[in-house]
Every structure is written in structure tokens, then in C-alpha cells.
Amino acid sequence: MFENDYIMRQIRGMAAVLARLLFGKSATEYVLPAETFGEADRLHLELVKRIEEGRLEEAENLLFDRLDPADPDTLKVALDFYARLEKLDPAYLSAHGFTEDDIALGLAHAAGAFGHDDAARVFLTFLSEKER
């Protein structure tokens, strides 16, 4: 239990650091615009629906299919996605084929997809040391 809490705190911390560095805020929640919806907004809605339906792996695959390094809003969507997963009960995650390590790896890979390889490398190093 303690190890899971520690991993989840690390995930929260990494998401907050990325949000602060990239967007100048520590909040990871994606906020939909009041009027016009773009691709990132539609992606966000699709991901939330899949999370609610327990289709977590499918949601993550969709996220990586649609991540666009030219559109920073898709990274905001990724941060929101992993923050939502991090808040789920570990038993729920497990029942739907996901673990805390999957969340951490996904977050690191999303950061790397946007050229933030140093942040991804630090987090992946942390994960590999945890397993020792």
C-alpha cells in the first residue's frame, strides 16, 4: 500500500512539474472552451468517456494515436488523462488492465513525445530504481 501511495505521489508531482514548466500552471485539469471545440477538446471528451466506461487501455491507445507535438493542447489533454487515472482506485485500475506503473510510463512517454526527453528520462530512471 505504501509503495502504491508513493508511486501515485510521484506521478502527481511529475504531472504538476510538467504543467508548471510547459504551461505556467501546476493544475493538470484540462478545461474545455466555452464555444468552439478543436481536435484536442474532442480527444479530451473521448478519453473521459472511455475512462468512465473502464476502457483504459483503449483510451491510452487513442491518446497516443492522436498526440500531436505541433498542438500543445494535446499534451494538456495527456496530463489531464493521466491525472484522472492517478485518482482512480488501484483495484479499479487493475480490473481494467492498468497499473500505477502504466500511468507513470505513459506520462513519461507523453512528455518524451513533445521533446521533453530529460523529464521523461528522469521519471523512467526513478521507475527503474524503484523496481530494484
Side-chain angles (χ1 to χ4, degrees), residues 65-80:
D65 286 346
R66 307 248 307 262
L67 272 182
D68 179 3
D71 181 0
D73 283 343
T74 61
L75 180 55
K76 290 179 186 177
V77 169
L79 293 176
D80 177 90

Side-chain angles (χ1 to χ4, degrees), residues 24-78:
K25 60 179 188 164
S26 59
T28 56
E29 181 180 353
Y30 187 76
V31 179
L32 289 169
E35 295 180 15
T36 307
F37 274 35
E39 285 302 311
D41 305 318
R42 284 187 278 285
L43 173 60
H44 170 72
L45 292 173
E46 291 176 44
L47 294 175
V48 169
K49 180 180 179 194
R50 283 173 173 78
I51 291 170
E52 291 170 352
E53 295 171 345
R55 297 163 40 201
L56 306 181
E57 289 183 47
E58 182 182 321
E60 186 177 48
N61 291 338
L62 176 66
L63 173 65
F64 279 100
D65 286 346
R66 307 248 307 262
L67 272 182
D68 179 3
D71 181 0
D73 283 343
T74 61
L75 180 55
K76 290 179 186 177
V77 169

Side-chain angles (χ1 to χ4, degrees), residues 5-18 26 28 83 86-87 107 123:
D5 290 342
Y6 179 72
I7 293 169
M8 296 311 242
R9 281 195 311 273
Q10 295 304 313
I11 293 167
R12 248 188 322 273
M14 178 159 179
V17 166
L18 286 171
S26 59
T28 56
E86 178 270 324
K87 292 175 186 171
L107 183 57
F123 205 55

